Amino acid sequence: MSLFDNNCNNVKPIHKCKGCACDVLKKLCAGSLVNIVLKGGDEFFEDELAFVRLDHKTCCATFLLEGYPFIIDCENIVGIQVLR
């Protein structure tokens, strides 16, 4: 069993959001810590992000960064590292 086998969100197989990072986020539990690389970047984001949720209609991924919401389209994430 891997980190990606756990489907905390019970996501339906058909969804709007496309891409590897979106697929990983769909299966993550709230509170999971991640590092991400954004489109146009070549390094991981400087800080760990706590995953909050993924809106399957808008593809907006919400994270907490130093206690504040950080929202980005999951399709703009080109790399993701799940820490725990």
Side-chain angles (χ1 to χ4, degrees):
M1 184 169 172
S2 77
L3 287 170
F4 309 110
D5 292 335
N6 188 10
N7 190 349
C8 290
N9 299 315
N10 296 319
V11 178
K12 297 175 185 173
I14 298 174
H15 46 78
K16 175 185 172 197
C17 311
K18 303 291 182 198
C20 175
C22 296
D23 290 343
V24 170
L25 292 174
K26 288 172 192 165
K27 297 176 183 178
L28 278 185
C29 298
S32 296
L33 296 179
V34 299
N35 282 332
I36 61 172
V37 178
L38 302 177
K39 274 186 184 175
D42 58 357
E43 294 184 13
F44 279 102
F45 217 64
E46 191 171 308
D47 296 306
E48 292 178 356
L49 302 170
F51 176 68
V52 176
R53 69 181 302 261
L54 176 66
D55 184 318
H56 301 288
K57 294 179 183 173
T58 65
C59 301
C60 289
T62 303
F63 302 92
L64 286 181
L65 175 63
E66 298 179 1
Y68 295 96
F70 173 74
I71 302 167
I72 186 159
D73 188 316
C74 68
E75 294 174 335
N76 287 321
I77 300 171
V78 295
I80 187 164
Q81 178 183 40
V82 179
L83 304 171
R84 58 181 161 110

